[in-house]
Amino acid sequence: MTGPQPCQGAAKVAVRDQLLTGRRRRSLSEVGAAARAIADHLLTAPEIRRAATVAAYVSVGAEPGTTALLDDLVAAGKRVLLPLLLPDNDLDWATYHGPTSLAPARRGLLEPVGAGLGLDAVATADVVLLPGLAVSRAGLRLGRGGGSYDRALARVPVGTFTCVLLYDDEVLPDVPVEPHDRPVTAAATPGGVLRFR
């Protein structure tokens, strides 16, 4: 049988609702402190230190913040790629040159103003940092449900360091998954970097 299983889809919706409610309850100071701690952990991680190109994203709302992290990566001499959301929810990629190179886009996102490099540009990254709502201890990521990052991860070569940015309590024993869900190799939280394999 192909396609998502109804019970898993319903379970995902329920878990997503709980996690989003939890995020909305976080204070601005908690979000800011988490962003700084995550950035500090990632900047000292050997995978990031060795990387020439890092694919990342601009956080929105109560997601663990990425603003300082993006600027720290550029200051460290890294080439930073950020996603451009396409009408079909797939992701093109463009180079980040600092906060003045971002412009408002659909769905309340900020995106780089440069030309898109193509869907496969993410495959050139040594490290891929991505958003999520939770991850299991086996590295199975629960996203928001659009499938954008599952498609992007399918283009990333095996062995690439792929890391979801989360709060400590969003690393769960298990999360509902479907056949198209792609695992990640690590999670970065305020408590540190957890590697799954």
Side-chain angles (χ1 to χ4, degrees):
M1 182 174 182
T2 59
Q5 302 300 309
C7 61
Q8 286 294 75
K12 278 187 167 184
V13 170
V15 172
R16 281 187 187 111
D17 286 348
Q18 286 179 322
L19 293 163
L20 287 167
T21 297
R23 281 193 175 178
R24 285 190 291 271
R25 291 182 176 148
R26 295 185 191 277
S27 69
L28 287 177
S29 62
E30 182 182 1
V31 172
R36 185 70 261 160
I38 289 170
D40 290 345
H41 293 307
L42 284 172
L43 292 167
T44 59
E47 297 89 351
I48 298 281
R49 289 195 331 226
R50 288 191 302 260
T53 300
V54 177
Y57 65 98
V58 180
S59 58
V60 295
E63 288 180 334
T66 60
T67 305
L69 174 62
L70 295 175
D71 292 336
D72 290 345
L73 289 168
V74 170
K78 311 296 181 190
R79 176 178 178 238
V80 177
L81 301 179
L82 296 179
L84 302 168
L85 184 65
L86 299 174
D88 66 353
N89 282 342
D90 211 339
L91 299 176
D92 194 348
W93 298 85
T95 306
Y96 174 67
H97 298 288
T100 58
S101 70
L102 297 175
R106 297 182 309 125
R107 298 189 185 175
L109 301 173
L110 287 174
E111 295 181 345
V113 294
L117 303 171
L119 302 178
D120 292 328
V122 69
T124 68
D126 305 298
V127 167
V128 179
L129 304 177
L130 56 154
L133 292 175
V135 71
S136 74
R137 296 232 172 242
L140 294 167
R141 173 187 156 272
L142 179 66
R144 288 186 175 259
S148 301
Y149 282 92
D150 288 315
R151 285 191 258 179
L153 283 171
R155 298 180 182 107
V156 174
V158 173
T160 302
F161 184 72
T162 56
C163 182
V164 59
L165 279 55
L166 300 169
Y167 296 100
D168 291 310
D169 59 357
E170 294 171 342
V171 178
L172 305 174
D174 200 15
V175 297
V177 295
E178 294 175 82
H180 65 268
D181 292 326
R182 301 286 177 159
V184 293
T185 58
T189 72
V193 177
L194 175 63
R195 290 165 181 82
F196 301 116
R197 48 192 147 104

